[in-house]
């Protein structure tokens, strides 16, 4: 735990920097860093980091051997060479000192219908203690926290013995390839902290995620003779129903899961995008549904894929048309495993102490039904992985916002953690 | 019935012109005259007509008082001012002679996935006696037939007493506003022949068509907390199911219909286009479905619209979310009534005689479960309306094609009809 005097110095530094931090977060939000369009923001971030005197490595997903890695996910709708990663390194005084990776993703999901938003989604409006915008909470607030926590540590005069890598990545919302790429690029540390908007709780475990694109054919005919054709939209609906029934069975089985047994329906199935047909008076010749389904820690991704294939094939066999024109499945994004960060790491103890110092109460834990990047560090590279960050609401929805006072407390907690872990 | 000598002269003229007619049809097919993109073809057709010495009137849907007319349909996705109509007039020797309108639509529906086509949809490939392409059969073949029937009549030296208006229209596939516009522009005659691809049968009756766009909202949230959101794609599926059940009830009731009682399931419901959502891992905030439903001759369009509204409202009331976020309905195209061309008109007798002369057998009749433009002439303007034309397959589907030998026979039949009716 940082001593009280140090914490006071950090608190003063965080407070002094908080105006600049809010502006920094507004700048982040004003970049519509949707998938495929993250590079302008990454370039801006790289200049910010370089301006702090950190050594900046900027590279693309095409610069690392992703395709050969078993845990990489396919990128169907995005170009790896256009997806840029930023790793800034602040070297400590002692190569043997405890090192740290601070990592945040800067990709955001689409904002949806503009009319649902009270404030324009990329305006970064501040009102009544909230900062609004797509990505404001998930997770540009966390990115601002890790950067300004580093600034506070520096201006409080804390000497860091260990190295710190400050990383901003892409693809967290679709594949996780950004995080994996930093590891393939060679960055390692004794712990990683990812300040996702967890509401000041530590993420004990998270489910995995599988993406798939279901494509169904139809036989287009004039609707006057619809009985001679086959409607791809109606066929897709049947398959979606079969997948929903499959999900219900998975959730039934999940009741005995060690980590998710107590969470109601932890496996979420979501048909998220649909498109099909081109004329109201022609039976549609195709329908495509982009889906997401969860899996539990311990579930094998290949088995989850096989299960989806089985469910779709069985449903197709029960349909006259689909039996002869099987739907196709394209696993076009996430092939992410679930992950449990077992309790008991020293890194978590240091974070919990910093949290308790700032909040005056013990750090809670959460079990997340969405994936995050910690799985690569913790599961695949043996690095204790802490997912802990600010508080807000509206992630992936409308009127997404982050609480500025919570962000201030979170920044201080992270500063205390850095000072203690690397100091 | 045209006498045998005249029919022989017409046959020779049709045969002599058939090479040019096939090229003319290929030219028509090579224009991708999809909705909103018909003007280049209409300009080409207008020049063709003018070259024949006919008086050409070229005007747009914005040039006539369509919005004020009770039978006009709304145009949501197309600009009336860009939708051009062509009426060419060949004046007869006697203003009291029997006049005729020959009308064909040159708009085509989208071709769907290119890979489903054996030949590219706008290449107008001729093979084994078939001419392939989107619109080749529906109904550019008929347009070529009416134009080259007029040419045959002229080159056979038949003197026409009555006026003939040769019309090419748009919007047949979406609203019928093209046909209605020619009537509002003032064109009238003692009969109209529309050579839709009926396979040499007369269309005794046709169902009406209603288009509507169903839009459902959702509450977008991160799929991790899907239970707090509402998935617009799943909501839309519920409403489509309710509309399918409504259609089944309508078809049950249709069993006692005077004209369609013997046709199995004459009311066709078709969800033809669907789009919704923007991210696999966000619950979709909206889903939109473009639908088509039929109605029987005698059914009131306003009542059919009210029934759709009622079905959607009832289904929404049964759903927790939709009850508070009612779906919206936009009747965005066809508001077309069904129509019966009662038997017994002199025009039909003349056509039947020409058909018998050419085919050596009586003209069959058909009952169509799709709309066509005759309703305006027959129902609203008291003009006997004959829908009769070539033979082919694949309308609104793939590998659409028209039979060239059938087209030749059809052209001769129409030439005989023109000679008899106006001669």
């Amino acid at each position: 735990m940082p001593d009280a005097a140090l914490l006071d110095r950090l608190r003063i530094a965080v407070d002094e920097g908080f105006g600049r931090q809010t502006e920094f977060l507004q700048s982040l939000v004003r970049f519509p860093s949707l998938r495929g369009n993250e590079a302008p923001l990454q370039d801006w971030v790289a200049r910010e980091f370089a301006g702090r005197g950190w050594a900046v490595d900027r590279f693309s997903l095409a610069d690392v051997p992703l395709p050969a890695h078993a845990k990489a996910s396919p990128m169907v709708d995005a170009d790896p060479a256009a997806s840029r990663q930023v790793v800034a390194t602040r070297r400590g005084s002692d190569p043997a000192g405890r090192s740290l990776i601070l990592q945040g993703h800067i990709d955001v999901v689409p904002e949806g219908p503009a009319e649902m938003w009270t404030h324009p989604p990329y305006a970064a409006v501040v009102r009544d203690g909230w900062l609004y915008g797509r990505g404001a909470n998930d997770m540009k607030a966390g990115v601002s926290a890790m950067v300004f926590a580093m600034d506070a540590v520096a201006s409080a005069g804390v000497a860091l013995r260990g190295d710190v890598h400050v990383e901003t990545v892409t693809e967290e919302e679709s594949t996780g390839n950004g995080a994996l790429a930093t590891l393939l690029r060679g960055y390692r540390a004794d712990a990683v902290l990812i300040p996702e908007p967890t509401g000041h709780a530590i993420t004990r475990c998270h489910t995995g995620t599988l993406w798939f694109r279901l494509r169904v054919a139809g036989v287009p005919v004039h609707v006057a003779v619809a009985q001679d054709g086959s409607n791809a939209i109606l066929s897709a609906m049947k398959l979606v129903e079969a997948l929903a029934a499959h999900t219900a069975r998975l959730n039934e089985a999940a009741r005995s899961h060690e980590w998710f047994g107590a969470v109601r329906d932890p496996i979420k199935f979501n048909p998220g995008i649909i498109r099909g047909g081109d004329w109201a008076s022609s039976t549609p010749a195709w329908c495509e549904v982009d889906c997401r389904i969860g899996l539990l820690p311990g579930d094998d991704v290949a088995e989850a894929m096989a299960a989806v294939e089985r469910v779709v094939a069985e449903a197709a066999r029960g349909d006259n048309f689909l039996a002869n024109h099987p739907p196709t499945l394209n696993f076009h994004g996430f092939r992410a495993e679930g992950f449990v960060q077992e309790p008991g790491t020293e890194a978590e103890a240091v974070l919990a102490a910093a949290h308790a110092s700032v909040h005056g109460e013990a750090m809670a834990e959460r079990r997340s039904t969405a994936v995050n990047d910690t799985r690569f560090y913790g599961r695949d590279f043996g690095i204790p992985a802490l997912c802990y960050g600010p508080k807000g609401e509206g992630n992936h929805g409308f009127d997404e916002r982050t609480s500025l006072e919570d962000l201030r407390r979170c920044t201080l907690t992270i500063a205390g953690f850095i000072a203690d872990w690397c100091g």
Side-chain angles (χ1 to χ4, degrees), chain A:
Chain A
M1 194 183 311
D3 65 51
L6 173 57
L7 194 66
D8 279 345
R9 271 161 42 218
L10 289 172
R11 188 188 312 274
I12 289 166
V14 166
D15 287 346
E16 279 180 355
F18 201 67
R20 286 194 310 283
Q21 181 176 348
T22 304
E23 286 167 18
F24 179 90
L25 175 53
Q26 287 181 303
S27 296
L28 295 181
V29 171
R30 287 173 183 148
F31 285 88
S33 48
L34 294 153
R35 193 181 194 199
N37 193 30
E38 308 98 338
L41 175 50
Q42 288 287 57
D43 290 340
W44 183 87
V45 165
R47 287 193 292 272
E48 280 282 319
F49 290 176
R52 282 165 168 79
W54 302 340
V56 175
D57 179 14
R58 183 169 49 171
F59 59 98
S60 90
L61 296 184
D63 297 331
V64 293
L66 265 181
H69 197 276
K71 299 298 173 74
S73 292
M75 291 173 67
V76 168
D77 300 325
D79 174 15
S83 198
R84 305 205 79 78
Q85 317 304 316
V86 175
V87 177
T89 300
R90 187 214 174 279
R91 292 196 172 79
S93 55
D94 177 3
R98 284 197 302 209
S99 59
L100 177 66
I101 291 170
L102 296 167
Q103 192 255 53
H105 70 85
I106 55 81
D107 52 319
V108 299
V109 301
E111 67 276 13
E115 68 270 19
M116 295 188 91
W117 288 77
T118 308
H119 308 290
Y122 300 106
V125 168
V126 172
R127 192 162 161 182
D128 298 334
W130 296 91
L131 196 157
Y132 287 83
R134 168 57 79 236
N137 198 50
D138 180 12
M139 66 165 282
K140 291 174 174 179
V143 170
S144 82
M146 69 192 198
V147 173
F148 281 80
M150 285 293 289
D151 286 356
V153 165
S155 66
V158 180
L160 297 184
R161 292 176 53 232
D163 295 345
V164 181
H165 301 301
V166 182
E167 308 182 346
T168 53
V169 302
T170 68
E171 288 285 310
E172 192 275 342
E173 299 285 7
S174 44
T175 60
N177 286 351
L180 181 56
T182 62
L183 289 154
L184 298 187
R185 186 80 164 178
Y187 295 100
R188 302 283 186 282
D190 296 313
V192 60
L193 171 68
I194 300 184
E196 288 271 10
T198 66
H200 314 298
I202 183 87
T203 306
R204 177 59 58 217
C205 51
H206 69 68
T207 54
T209 294
L210 190 60
W211 270 17
F212 55 94
R213 177 168 289 167
L214 188 60
R215 191 178 167 99
V216 190
V219 175
V221 294
H222 195 299
V223 69
V225 290
Q227 68 280 359
D228 300 335
S230 181
N231 187 313
I233 295 173
L234 298 179
S235 296
M237 283 168 51
K238 282 188 194 176
L239 299 180
V240 166
E241 276 168 26
L243 287 160
H246 168 63
T247 307
R249 291 190 297 271
L250 292 176
N251 278 316
E252 189 65 31
R255 291 192 190 178
S256 59
H257 190 269
E258 179 183 1
W259 293 99
F260 281 96
V263 177
R264 189 177 165 186
D265 295 338
I267 308 277
K268 310 293 180 183
F269 164 63
N270 187 58
I273 308 177
I274 193 168
R275 50 191 165 264
D278 50 25
W279 197 250
S281 291
S282 305
T283 56
W286 83 97
C287 187
E288 214 169 57
V289 193
D290 285 9
C291 300
R292 176 268 194 209
I293 195 167
L295 53 162
L296 297 174
D299 289 352
D300 181 73
V301 171
E303 278 172 24
M305 290 165 66
V308 167
E309 281 170 345
R310 209 159 47 231
V311 167
V312 169
E314 270 167 26
R317 270 198 296 278
D319 179 275
N320 279 343
F321 172 73
L322 295 177
N324 294 310
H325 302 81
T328 59
L329 273 170
N330 183 353
F331 293 92
H332 68 305
F334 274 127
R335 298 187 185 182
E337 295 163 310
F339 170 59
V340 179
Q341 176 57 58
E342 300 276 351
T345 65
E346 173 126 18
E348 182 174 330
V350 171
L351 177 63
H355 171 94
S357 299
V358 172
H359 289 266
E361 58 185 24
M363 181 172 72
E365 76 170 39
R366 62 193 279 272
R367 297 173 187 207
S368 170
T369 48
V371 77
N372 70 59
D373 276 342
T374 50
R375 67 191 183 282
F376 296 112
Y377 303 89
R379 215 188 132 102
D380 302 314
F381 287 81
I383 301 173
L386 310 173
C387 179
Y388 168 99
K391 187 171 183 173
E393 51 196 43
N395 305 342
H396 292 222
F398 58 99
D399 283 351
E400 179 180 350
R401 59 184 188 170
T402 200
S403 157
L404 289 173
E405 280 314 303
D406 281 286
L407 178 59
R408 186 196 298 262
R409 277 189 288 273
C410 181
T411 306
L412 178 57
T413 304
I414 294 174
F417 169 69
I418 297 167
D420 233 24
W421 181 258
C422 304

